[in-house]
């Protein structure tokens, strides 16, 4: 039975909404570990994620057969069970009902590139990394996907997506005597294809990674405590994502300090932060997984907390318009509220001006992981950083972490750069989502604690 | 098995893993049930080797026709790979232990889970009306796995478990407490709902008063979940035989050397009485064992899968774990167990003059697995003075996991099963002279 027929039959159920998300995606996973392709895998994921809203509660079912009618009935049964524990019924904010085909913007899709070319690119990167003896071990992962996703709902929505992405991840371990270090790099593409990814110089990437590794192995330990810091676009991006972005996801906002702060000034007027479309953004999309058109969300505008990220359920609760942030990792998960590309907006300081007047502090250039908590405490791992001494970049530091209370740290942003950059990542909130984060260089005079052995 | 014979037409060696998984869960958000979900999944992973070239194909199906097509696809992929000069062979036939699986778990229904969760929400409301249930979930998992290969591996096994997670917070003026959570996981349906509720409520009460942590070195009691988190990222990677071969494990030349406090014994034991991962075979079909890794502070040996074991002339320890995302078989663990001590957690806290308790870490995953360096944020954490919890706080813990593990003062008598992040059975451990820097305001 096809989806339309199954949805027609579902009209007999007492459900207020039925959503069928079908995916048929083929993925390639390659992993080159120290000269051996330990992963050489093709994978086909095909199945249905079905959500039913009945009696004010959600039911979700995943199937990987074509028995869609049974899947809908199963999700309906789940919703009825859940509704016995509902006090305030879930309702959905209305959205424009569309029929659309979302064509990929990639010029050269990954499936049109030969496996040989993908392999050679990975081997070239490995060769360049291993030119130096300090590089002890390398892991290069490559992943691409192509296929389709179709969202069909009882409201008449039908959107088909031409799904394509490329993701690359690199981990390099260094060893020199008893000095050890490890650095990572990640890149992801959804709008641009091999025409952009294939042009990235493996030689330049290897050189950058080796520099970071040497800095770690030869760097000094940072001094534990609170110091002025200047964060690079990569690091400020992860602070935007972890420290503030998560608090602006409506399902988390309700339990965070942000709930009482909407419409209030929470940062100096020169601070603006958005979750929006950015060129090459890994979180870019036309519609979300509920079929809502994705729009820019101005989380902080001129220092005032303005907007939060919503799905249809939370938009109804907050009496706001849905803005396209319901995302599901794949058909085995229901969509939940997620970020896309979270960025601080640039201002007018040069990098040199940001460093001016700092007698002792840290320049944080690159990160490795981060995490947020509802009390707005955040942590970001730092894999590349430098001491700032008398307004100049000085010696590198070993890997460490920074932490702070986001709503306090925001107040202590003292200057914002005029440049802009983004980094790619995979955010985990029970399920994975491709995201970007970034911004300009930003200076904090206080409220960021750096870890260290000293 | 017919499929293996079919695969041998293409490959020198072939392995087929087929799984079926049924999960059912009930979820609560903001003090009420929000959804229930069922996942009925099946899939197959084919790994074939031809002339030392490996190819893997993964599909969302377990029917014979689809698997045969998958074999042919895996063959085409393998031909494009390069020869792995280190390839030796897939594992040979094994003798397995017996595991008991509670079959009642397979028939748990959504109504039972919803009722259990509704009752839990009511209990929270009755006991602590100001608390907000940020999230709660209870569910059951039933897994059936078959592993076959062309050397006679032919093993089927079931695994089943139930779980309950409760996450609470409370609004204090304009601020909120950190999310306080606790969990239980079992291989029967007798989840300790009340114990989890009481524990989270107690911690929320302790978090109502926020105190500023001091900078310096202090006694730190790391609770089971937080201990699992930090060990998973900073210590366990060093137990991998692959890292031994490559020389990137800090323990590479330390077998039979004392590497941490003699109060610490760590083993991978899927058959522990509290384990919810009682597998008799790893993902290559190799029989699982109890493997002692650290014995009274002395490092006893690495964990191996077949591939890296062959390179190092070691037997696989039954630790071949497959990534179901990529299909590759690496080295992992089934159920890490840290042996208990003698004192209760309550006694350990009562004897603390001044120190902190860590319930969870932020950023444990930023730890450096190659060096053991950590700089993670303790949140939620609690300040203890003269044996009493005075309030919650947030601070950064910096140092090296090997140095920290040398400074163990006590290990708790209680052990707790942790199934998220670091799967295993953990006690609480009191460490001395841990360096911290305040983050809270």
């Amino acid at each position: 039975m096809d989806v339309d027929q199954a949805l027609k039959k579902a009209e007999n159920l007492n459900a207020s909404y039925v959503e069928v998300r079908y995916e048929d995606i083929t993925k390639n996973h390659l992993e080159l570990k120290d000269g051996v392709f330990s992963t050489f895998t093709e994978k086909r994921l095909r199945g249905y994620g079905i959500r039913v809203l009945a009696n004010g509660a959600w039911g979700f079912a995943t199937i990987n057969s074509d028995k869609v009618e049974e899947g809908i009935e199963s999700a309906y049964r789940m919703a009825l069970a859940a509704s016995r524990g509902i006090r305030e019924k879930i309702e959905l904010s209305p959205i424009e009902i569309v029929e659309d085909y979302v064509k990929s913007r990639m010029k050269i899709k990954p499936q049109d590139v030969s496996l040989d070319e993908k392999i050679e690119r990975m081997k070239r990167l490995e060769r360049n990394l291993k030119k130096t003896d300090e590089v002890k071990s390398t892991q290069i992962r490559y992943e691409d996907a192509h296929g389709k996703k179709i969202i069909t709902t009882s409201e008449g929505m039908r959107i088909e997506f031409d799904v394509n992405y490329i993701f690359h991840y690199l981990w390099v371990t260094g060893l020199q005597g008893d000095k050890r270090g490890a650095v990572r790099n990640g890149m992801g593409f959804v709008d641009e294809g091999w025409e952009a990814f294939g042009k990235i110089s493996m030689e330049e990437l290897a050189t950058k990674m080796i520099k970071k590794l040497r800095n770690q192995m030869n760097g000094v330990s940072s001094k534990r405590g609170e110091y002025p810091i200047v964060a690079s676009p990569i690091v400020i991006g992860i602070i935007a994502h972890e420290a503030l972005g998560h608090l602006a996801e409506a399902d988390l906002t309700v339990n965070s300090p942000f709930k009482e702060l909407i419409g209030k000034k929470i940062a100096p007027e020169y601070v603006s932060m958005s979750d929006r479309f950015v060129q090459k953004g890994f979180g870019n999309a036309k519609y979300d997984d509920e079929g809502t058109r994705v729009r820019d969300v101005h989380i902080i505008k001129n220092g005032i907390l303005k907007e939060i990220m919503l799905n249809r359920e939370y938009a109804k609760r907050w009496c706001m318009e849905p803005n396209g942030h319901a995302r599901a990792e794949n058909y085995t998960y229901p969509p939940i509220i997620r970020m896309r590309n979270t960025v601080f907006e640039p201002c007018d300081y040069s990098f040199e001006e940001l460093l001016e007047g700092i007698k002792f502090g840290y320049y944080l250039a690159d990160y490795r992981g981060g995490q947020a908590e509802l009390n707005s405490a955040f942590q970001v791992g730092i894999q590349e950083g430098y001491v700032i001494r008398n307004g100049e970049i000085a010696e590198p530091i070993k890997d460490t972490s920074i932490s702070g209370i986001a709503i306090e740290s925001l107040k202590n942003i003292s200057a914002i750069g005029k440049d802009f950059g983004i980094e790619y990542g995979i955010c985990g909130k029970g399920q994975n989502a491709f995201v970007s984060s970034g911004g300009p260089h930003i200076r904090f005079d206080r409220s960021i604690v750096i870890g260290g052995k000293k | 098995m017919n499929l293996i014979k079919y695969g041998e037409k293409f490959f020198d060696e072939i392995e087929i893993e087929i799984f079926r998984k049924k999960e059912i869960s009930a979820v609560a958000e903001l003090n009420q049930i929000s959804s229930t979900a069922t996942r009925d999944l099946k899939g197959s992973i084919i790994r074939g080797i031809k002339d030392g070239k490996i190819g893997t194909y993964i599909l969302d199906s377990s029917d014979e026709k689809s698997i045969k097509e998958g074999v042919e696809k895996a063959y085409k992929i393998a031909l494009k790979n390069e020869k792995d000069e280190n390839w030796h062979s897939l594992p040979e036939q094994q003798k397995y232990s017996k595991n008991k699986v509670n079959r009642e778990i397979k028939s748990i229904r959504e109504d039972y889970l919803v009722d259990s969760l509704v009752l839990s929400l009511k209990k929270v409301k009755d006991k602590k009306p100001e608390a907000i249930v940020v999230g709660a979930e209870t569910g059951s998992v039933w897994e059936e796995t078959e592993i076959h290969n062309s050397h006679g591996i032919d093993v089927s096994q079931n695994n089943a478990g139930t779980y309950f997670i409760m996450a609470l917070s409370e609004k204090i003026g304009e601020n909120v407490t950190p999310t306080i959570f606790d969990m239980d996981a079992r291989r029967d349906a007798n989840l300790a709902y009340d114990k989890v509720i009481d524990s989270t409520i107690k911690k929320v009460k302790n978090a109502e008063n926020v105190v500023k942590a001091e900078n310096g070195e202090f006694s730190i009691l790391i609770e089971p979940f937080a201990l699992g988190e930090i060990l998973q990222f900073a210590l366990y990677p060093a137990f991998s035989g692959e890292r031994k071969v490559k020389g990137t494990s800090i323990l590479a030349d330390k077998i039979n050397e004392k590497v941490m406090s003699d109060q610490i014994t760590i083993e991978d034991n899927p058959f522990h009485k509290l384990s919810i991962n009682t597998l008799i075979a790893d993902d290559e079909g190799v029989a699982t064992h109890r493997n002692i890794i650290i014995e009274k502070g002395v490092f006893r040996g690495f964990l191996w899968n077949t591939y890296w074991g062959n390179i190092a002339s070691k037997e696989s320890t039954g630790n071949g774990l497959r990534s179901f995302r990529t299909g590759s078989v690496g080295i992992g663990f089934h159920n890490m167990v840290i042996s208990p001590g003698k004192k209760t957690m309550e006694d350990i806290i009562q004897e603390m003059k001044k120190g902190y308790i860590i319930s969870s870490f932020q950023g444990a995953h930023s730890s450096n697995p190659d060096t053991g360096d950590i700089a993670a944020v303790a949140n939620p954490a609690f300040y203890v003075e003269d044996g009493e919890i005075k309030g919650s706080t947030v601070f950064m813990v910096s140092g090296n996991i090997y140095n920290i593990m040398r400074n163990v003062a006590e290990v708790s008598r209680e052990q707790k099963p942790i199934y998220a992040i670091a799967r295993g059975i953990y006690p609480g451990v009191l460490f001395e002279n841990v360096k911290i820097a305040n983050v809270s305001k």
Side-chain angles (χ1 to χ4, degrees), chain B residues 378-399:
Chain B
N379 185 20
F382 301 91
Y383 173 58
V384 181
E385 197 178 283
D386 295 327
E388 269 187 46
I389 296 171
K390 300 290 185 183
S392 67
T393 187
V394 182
F395 55 84
M396 170 101 70
V397 176
S398 302

Short mmCIF file of all heavy atoms in Angstrom, two decimals, chain B residues 378-399:
data_model
loop_
_atom_site.label_atom_id
_atom_site.label_comp_id
_atom_site.label_asym_id
_atom_site.label_seq_id
_atom_site.Cartn_x
_atom_site.Cartn_y
_atom_site.Cartn_z
N ALA B 378 32.48 20.24 36.19
CA ALA B 378 31.64 19.46 37.12
C ALA B 378 30.31 20.18 37.28
O ALA B 378 30.26 21.29 37.83
CB ALA B 378 32.34 19.34 38.46
N ASN B 379 29.23 19.58 36.76
CA ASN B 379 27.93 20.23 36.79
C ASN B 379 26.86 19.20 36.48
O ASN B 379 26.83 18.70 35.35
CB ASN B 379 27.89 21.36 35.75
CG ASN B 379 26.60 22.17 35.80
OD1 ASN B 379 25.90 22.15 36.80
ND2 ASN B 379 26.30 22.85 34.72
N PRO B 380 26.01 18.82 37.43
CA PRO B 380 25.91 19.36 38.79
C PRO B 380 27.02 18.82 39.71
O PRO B 380 27.46 17.69 39.57
CB PRO B 380 24.55 18.86 39.26
CG PRO B 380 24.12 17.81 38.32
CD PRO B 380 24.95 17.89 37.11
N ALA B 381 27.41 19.72 40.61
CA ALA B 381 28.38 19.34 41.64
C ALA B 381 27.87 19.94 42.96
O ALA B 381 27.06 20.88 42.94
CB ALA B 381 29.75 19.86 41.29
N PHE B 382 28.36 19.41 44.06
CA PHE B 382 27.86 19.84 45.37
C PHE B 382 29.03 20.06 46.32
O PHE B 382 30.01 19.31 46.29
CB PHE B 382 26.90 18.78 45.94
CG PHE B 382 25.71 18.53 45.05
CD1 PHE B 382 25.76 17.54 44.07
CD2 PHE B 382 24.57 19.32 45.16
CE1 PHE B 382 24.68 17.32 43.23
CE2 PHE B 382 23.49 19.11 44.32
CZ PHE B 382 23.54 18.12 43.35
N TYR B 383 28.87 21.08 47.16
CA TYR B 383 29.91 21.39 48.14
C TYR B 383 29.58 20.68 49.46
O TYR B 383 28.44 20.74 49.94
CB TYR B 383 29.98 22.91 48.35
CG TYR B 383 30.91 23.31 49.47
CD1 TYR B 383 32.25 22.94 49.44
CD2 TYR B 383 30.45 24.07 50.55
CE1 TYR B 383 33.11 23.30 50.48
CE2 TYR B 383 31.29 24.44 51.58
CZ TYR B 383 32.62 24.05 51.54
OH TYR B 383 33.46 24.40 52.56
N VAL B 384 30.58 20.04 50.05
CA VAL B 384 30.40 19.31 51.31
C VAL B 384 31.31 19.91 52.38
O VAL B 384 32.50 20.15 52.12
CB VAL B 384 30.76 17.81 51.15
CG1 VAL B 384 30.54 17.06 52.47
CG2 VAL B 384 29.96 17.17 50.04
N GLU B 385 30.73 20.18 53.55
CA GLU B 385 31.54 20.68 54.67
C GLU B 385 31.12 19.91 55.92
O GLU B 385 29.92 19.82 56.21
CB GLU B 385 31.26 22.18 54.84
CG GLU B 385 32.31 22.90 55.67
CD GLU B 385 31.99 24.38 55.74
OE1 GLU B 385 32.24 25.09 54.76
OE2 GLU B 385 31.46 24.81 56.79
N ASP B 386 32.10 19.38 56.62
CA ASP B 386 31.83 18.59 57.83
C ASP B 386 30.75 17.53 57.61
O ASP B 386 29.83 17.36 58.43
CB ASP B 386 31.44 19.51 59.01
CG ASP B 386 32.60 20.41 59.39
OD1 ASP B 386 33.77 19.97 59.26
OD2 ASP B 386 32.35 21.57 59.77
N GLY B 387 30.84 16.87 56.48
CA GLY B 387 29.95 15.76 56.21
C GLY B 387 28.55 16.13 55.74
O GLY B 387 27.69 15.28 55.59
N GLU B 388 28.32 17.45 55.52
CA GLU B 388 26.98 17.88 55.09
C GLU B 388 27.05 18.57 53.74
O GLU B 388 27.96 19.36 53.49
CB GLU B 388 26.41 18.90 56.09
CG GLU B 388 25.61 18.26 57.17
CD GLU B 388 24.94 19.32 58.04
OE1 GLU B 388 24.36 20.27 57.49
OE2 GLU B 388 25.05 19.18 59.27
N ILE B 389 26.04 18.29 52.90
CA ILE B 389 25.99 18.96 51.59
C ILE B 389 25.41 20.35 51.80
O ILE B 389 24.30 20.51 52.32
CB ILE B 389 25.15 18.13 50.59
CG1 ILE B 389 25.84 16.79 50.34
CG2 ILE B 389 24.95 18.89 49.28
CD1 ILE B 389 25.04 15.78 49.55
N LYS B 390 26.20 21.37 51.39
CA LYS B 390 25.80 22.76 51.67
C LYS B 390 25.13 23.44 50.49
O LYS B 390 24.56 24.50 50.62
CB LYS B 390 27.03 23.58 52.10
CG LYS B 390 27.72 23.07 53.33
CD LYS B 390 26.86 23.31 54.56
CE LYS B 390 27.59 22.91 55.84
NZ LYS B 390 26.74 23.07 57.02
N GLY B 391 25.31 22.89 49.29
CA GLY B 391 24.70 23.52 48.11
C GLY B 391 25.35 23.05 46.84
O GLY B 391 26.34 22.30 46.87
N SER B 392 24.78 23.52 45.72
CA SER B 392 25.34 23.10 44.42
C SER B 392 26.32 24.14 43.91
O SER B 392 26.28 25.31 44.30
CB SER B 392 24.22 22.88 43.41
OG SER B 392 23.61 24.11 43.10
N THR B 393 27.17 23.71 43.01
CA THR B 393 28.18 24.60 42.46
C THR B 393 28.63 24.08 41.09
O THR B 393 28.18 23.00 40.67
CB THR B 393 29.37 24.72 43.44
OG1 THR B 393 30.26 25.71 42.97
CG2 THR B 393 30.12 23.40 43.59
N VAL B 394 29.43 24.86 40.42
CA VAL B 394 29.98 24.46 39.12
C VAL B 394 31.47 24.79 39.13
O VAL B 394 31.85 25.88 39.53
CB VAL B 394 29.31 25.24 37.95
CG1 VAL B 394 29.85 24.76 36.61
CG2 VAL B 394 27.79 25.08 37.98
N PHE B 395 32.30 23.83 38.74
CA PHE B 395 33.75 24.12 38.67
C PHE B 395 34.41 23.28 37.60
O PHE B 395 33.84 22.29 37.12
CB PHE B 395 34.42 23.90 40.04
CG PHE B 395 34.20 22.53 40.64
CD1 PHE B 395 35.01 21.45 40.28
CD2 PHE B 395 33.21 22.33 41.58
CE1 PHE B 395 34.81 20.19 40.85
CE2 PHE B 395 33.00 21.07 42.16
CZ PHE B 395 33.81 19.99 41.79
N MET B 396 35.59 23.70 37.25
CA MET B 396 36.37 22.99 36.23
C MET B 396 37.37 22.06 36.94
O MET B 396 38.05 22.47 37.88
CB MET B 396 37.13 24.02 35.39
CG MET B 396 38.15 23.45 34.47
SD MET B 396 37.60 23.33 32.78
CE MET B 396 37.53 25.03 32.26
N VAL B 397 37.45 20.84 36.47
CA VAL B 397 38.44 19.88 36.98
C VAL B 397 39.53 19.76 35.92
O VAL B 397 39.24 19.45 34.77
CB VAL B 397 37.82 18.49 37.21
CG1 VAL B 397 38.88 17.48 37.66
CG2 VAL B 397 36.70 18.56 38.24
N SER B 398 40.77 20.02 36.31
CA SER B 398 41.87 19.93 35.35
C SER B 398 42.89 18.93 35.87
O SER B 398 43.11 18.81 37.07
CB SER B 398 42.59 21.26 35.22
OG SER B 398 41.70 22.24 34.81
N GLY B 399 43.52 18.24 34.96
CA GLY B 399 44.58 17.32 35.36
C GLY B 399 44.73 16.19 34.38
O GLY B 399 44.28 16.28 33.23
#
